Amino acid sequence: MKSRPVRVGTVLDQDGDLYRVKWDDSAEEEVHLGDYEQVTPRGSLLFQSLVEPDELRAAFDRDPSAVVIRALQESATPMTGKDLKETLTRLGIDDKNYRAAWTSIRKVLMNDDRVTVEGTGAGTTFTSGGETAQSNPDD
């Protein structure tokens, strides 16, 4: 499957699914959200996976727990280990690499003050306590 080019811009206005966008590389344009358009905050893991996928994978290789904590901070709901794996592999983290790092990630999550842990076994959920693991100077 051929990937589509990624365009980055700033949403200036929204009316339903119609967005007025100022593209970083050109002028303003009205865009209807559809099958190929997506709005995502700059600095989010999704944004990074679209714009800098190699850097996201390198960040995971350097500190997998930090990337997982960012995923928790960006999630509106608690996540299980399975949810986290699905989220990160969808963003381009290799499944094999995630599985290899899971034991150390889980240990960090269980002891990190920024993470609330509830439940046991496969039903254990992790929720961000709200602190920012990494800030983006472009925000």
Side-chain angles (χ1 to χ4, degrees):
M1 183 168 100
K2 185 178 177 186
S3 64
R4 293 186 150 290
V6 174
R7 291 179 74 192
V8 178
T10 301
V11 174
L12 302 174
D13 191 27
Q14 175 190 359
D15 183 12
D17 71 344
L18 179 64
Y19 289 78
R20 189 167 50 97
V21 177
K22 168 61 177 109
W23 298 109
D24 289 1
D25 62 356
S26 63
E28 292 180 20
E29 178 180 3
E30 288 189 339
V31 177
H32 281 279
L33 290 187
D35 293 337
Y36 302 106
E37 295 80 18
Q38 186 166 0
V39 175
T40 186
R42 290 181 194 257
S44 69
L45 288 175
L46 177 57
F47 181 86
Q48 190 172 15
S49 75
L50 294 169
V51 177
E52 301 171 324
D54 292 338
E55 176 51 36
L56 177 58
R57 287 188 286 275
F60 184 84
D61 290 345
R62 283 189 307 273
D63 190 351
S65 298
V67 174
V68 169
I69 290 171
R70 277 183 64 197
L72 288 172
Q73 292 168 334
E74 294 176 13
S75 175
T77 61
M79 300 177 82
T80 64
K82 181 180 178 182
D83 296 332
L84 286 164
K85 181 179 89 61
E86 289 173 358
T87 296
L88 291 169
T89 56
R90 192 172 49 247
L91 294 176
I93 303 301
D94 183 72
D95 183 77
K96 181 179 171 185
N97 292 352
Y98 186 89
R99 288 177 187 268
W102 174 244
T103 301
S104 65
I105 292 168
R106 189 175 196 290
K107 190 177 295 184
V108 169
L109 295 178
M110 297 297 283
N111 295 298
D112 193 302
D113 291 339
R114 297 171 291 180
V115 178
T116 301
V117 181
E118 295 180 329
T120 60
T124 302
T125 60
F126 306 94
T127 309
S128 171
E131 285 187 38
T132 302
Q134 176 178 336
S135 62
N136 185 332
D138 293 336
D139 288 348

